[in-house]
Amino acid sequence: MLQHVRVGTRASALARTQTGHVVDALAALGRGDLTLETVHVRTEGDRLTGSLQSLGGTGVFVTALRDALDDGRCDVAVHSLKDLPTGDVEGLSMVVPPREDPSDALCARDGLTLAELPRGATVGTGSPRRAAQLLAARPDLVVVDIRGNVDTRLGRVAGARSGTGDLDAVVLARAGLARLGRLDAMTEAFGPDVMAPAPGQGALGVEVRSSDLVPGTPLDAALRALDHRPTHLAVVAERSLLARLEAGCAAPIGATAQLADHGRSLSLEAVIARPDGTATLRRGAAVTLGTDSLDDARRLGSELAETLLAAGAADLAVLGAVR
């Protein structure tokens, strides 16, 4: 049975590249029973200017794609998972392909690392999480709020070599650089001890109408095969932590989870930083996975959030959660 599937994506170069990877994977997993079409969807986040926080957070990139799913303009939508609000959406299901390295990357002039940047160096980022952790590591830096696609941000650094750029460095997701073939611009990959990544960073969320997941159809089979259990469990734990803290993209929170003990347990590490970087709080936890591993992952994230709250997380960052 041949099935035609329209895959919705934002029109940015990174979004198109990420979606292309998903389309290629679905085509291979469909074993000739799927025909795939890419549909470009313009989002409010692409159209408007200003800081991400002033526009309402990362959800501005998601709503238009979900609307396109709802009204039938596309059958599958591909998101950067860190952009997805943590709440479930009735009628939609999600699978998670294998994750890229979730690290943050420094892209600095003249090949400099974070330690080598001069005092007072200007570093661009649109992320309060990255800004807070940068300042925690190097309080002498000047952090500049920026927006724009990857090439635009890198261009503000590349010109510094000839005296035309206005930034000494920018911080970007290593995964985005890898997918665009721009790892040559990276001068340092940050470990989680320096900069914990955003929950879901490096992962993609592939959403579909739940009613379209019909057993025996090519799309259902391909999506089930695309879903990567270690990545899915990790991002569920990370996003559960974020949901319990009731924190969005404006909160300086980093989290990363991974399978341990040969896949029998899941560990989660998280950090919350004061926005100016003057204090940070780090905690970790782990859970043994049982028959309902997704529920175990959710519980791990929620319980670690409770630990952070008990240790004073709300005194560092503005959180919706209360004890």
Side-chain angles (χ1 to χ4, degrees):
M1 177 178 64
L2 192 64
Q3 186 175 7
H4 184 68
V5 176
R6 295 157 299 167
V7 183
T9 179
R10 292 174 57 202
S12 72
L14 179 56
R16 293 197 311 270
T17 299
Q18 293 174 161
T19 299
H21 293 324
V22 171
V23 167
D24 290 345
L26 289 176
L29 294 168
R31 302 181 183 277
D33 291 328
L34 287 178
T35 61
L36 295 125
E37 172 190 357
T38 300
V39 177
H40 293 166
V41 178
R42 188 169 175 81
T43 74
E44 287 292 286
D46 298 315
R47 185 176 63 82
L48 301 175
T49 60
S51 71
L52 200 56
Q53 289 69 53
S54 70
L55 299 180
T58 51
V60 298
F61 297 126
V62 174
T63 302
L65 283 167
R66 285 178 166 171
D67 288 345
L69 272 175
D70 186 58
D71 63 26
R73 281 175 288 148
C74 66
D75 306 301
V76 171
V78 180
H79 310 275
S80 289
L81 211 149
K82 68 182 179 64
D83 292 343
L84 282 178
T86 55
D88 293 332
V89 178
E90 185 176 358
L92 294 182
S93 297
M94 184 174 67
V95 301
V96 184
R99 187 183 208 167
E100 283 276 359
D101 185 331
S103 303
D104 288 295
L106 183 74
C107 303
R109 62 174 175 85
D110 306 321
L112 298 174
T113 65
L114 182 63
E116 293 167 345
L117 286 171
R119 290 185 61 84
T122 53
V123 183
T125 177
S127 162
R129 172 189 60 82
R130 289 172 179 154
Q133 292 184 90
L134 276 171
L135 291 171
R138 286 285 308 272
D140 59 294
L141 296 176
V142 176
V143 178
V144 179
D145 184 54
I146 61 172
R147 280 202 68 202
N149 61 33
V150 170
D151 284 335
T152 297
R153 297 185 188 208
L154 289 176
R156 292 180 66 171
V157 177
R161 296 187 180 93
S162 60
T164 59
D166 63 325
L167 296 174
D168 293 298
V170 294
V171 179
L172 301 170
R174 187 190 185 283
L177 293 171
R179 289 175 176 137
L180 288 170
R182 294 303 309 273
L183 283 176
D184 60 303
M186 181 178 71
T187 58
E188 182 178 4
F190 293 125
D193 57 325
V194 175
M195 188 172 293
Q201 185 161 300
L204 301 178
V206 181
E207 285 192 316
V208 61
R209 292 181 292 272
S210 301
S211 59
D212 287 345
L213 292 176
V214 180
T217 61
L219 179 60
D220 179 73
L223 286 171
R224 291 182 188 280
L226 181 65
D227 195 54
H228 185 243
R229 178 177 177 269
T231 300
H232 202 148
L233 290 172
V235 300
V236 164
E238 294 163 13
R239 286 163 55 77
S240 175
L241 177 136
L242 202 61
R244 173 60 190 96
L245 294 176
E246 297 181 22
C249 69
I253 297 172
T256 182
Q258 58 185 348
L259 287 180
D261 192 25
H262 304 288
R264 291 190 289 267
S265 66
L266 184 70
S267 65
L268 176 63
E269 303 289 332
V271 60
I272 298 181
R274 188 167 286 150
D276 63 4
T278 55
T280 59
L281 175 64
R282 294 179 182 270
R283 293 291 187 273
V287 66
T288 299
L289 298 173
T291 55
D292 191 342
S293 55
L294 286 176
D295 188 62
D296 292 331
R298 292 186 192 96
R299 178 164 50 86
L300 173 62
S302 180
E303 289 180 355
L304 183 55
E306 295 289 352
T307 298
L308 288 164
L309 289 168
D315 295 329
L316 299 183
V318 177
L319 305 173
V322 294
R323 289 195 56 77

